[in-house]
Amino acid sequence: MKGTNGGQPGVERHWLVSYYPQKDGLDCVLGVNAMVQEITERKQAEKKLQESEERFQQLVRYVPHLLWISEPIQQRLLYASPAYEQIWGRPLVEC
């Protein structure tokens, strides 16, 4: 859920909201409980991460050099740019 509050008019905030029934001993619904958690900072971090990922993808898509990310301890290739196939003349799945 997103919106603004009276304390900061015009500033968009985000909340995670959960609803669940409040029941008595006979399983009859007495009311509804709501749990609200403010997650604005998390949403802002997710947006910045997405923007960073988009910039990274634009960079590696058009740079004619091979860029890679590896896990040195497990000696695993985590990412190789599309230039791999152009430089080595074979699909990345073969390496």
Side-chain angles (χ1 to χ4, degrees):
M1 166 188 274
K2 66 181 177 177
T4 60
N5 65 27
Q8 295 178 313
V11 177
E12 185 175 83
R13 310 301 290 176
H14 295 264
W15 298 275
L16 180 61
V17 182
S18 299
Y19 302 97
Y20 55 95
Q22 175 73 39
K23 296 182 180 183
D24 64 11
L26 300 173
D27 210 29
C28 294
V29 176
L30 300 174
V32 176
N33 289 317
M35 186 169 69
V36 181
Q37 180 181 9
E38 211 246 315
I39 59 168
T40 302
E41 288 183 17
R42 182 176 93 187
K43 287 292 191 177
Q44 291 169 343
E46 288 172 353
K47 182 179 178 185
K48 287 180 182 180
L49 180 61
Q50 179 182 359
E51 291 169 352
S52 175
E53 174 68 20
E54 289 170 1
R55 284 191 304 272
F56 175 77
Q57 289 298 328
Q58 287 176 354
L59 172 70
V60 298
R61 190 176 303 126
Y62 299 110
V63 170
H65 305 288
L66 177 59
L67 303 171
W68 72 91
I69 301 170
S70 63
E71 167 51 62
I73 294 172
Q74 296 179 359
Q75 298 181 351
R76 239 177 4 132
L77 180 66
L78 301 175
Y79 175 84
S81 64
Y84 177 92
E85 292 183 10
Q86 296 169 349
I87 291 170
W88 296 104
R90 64 181 187 182
L92 181 59
V93 294
E94 290 181 15
C95 69

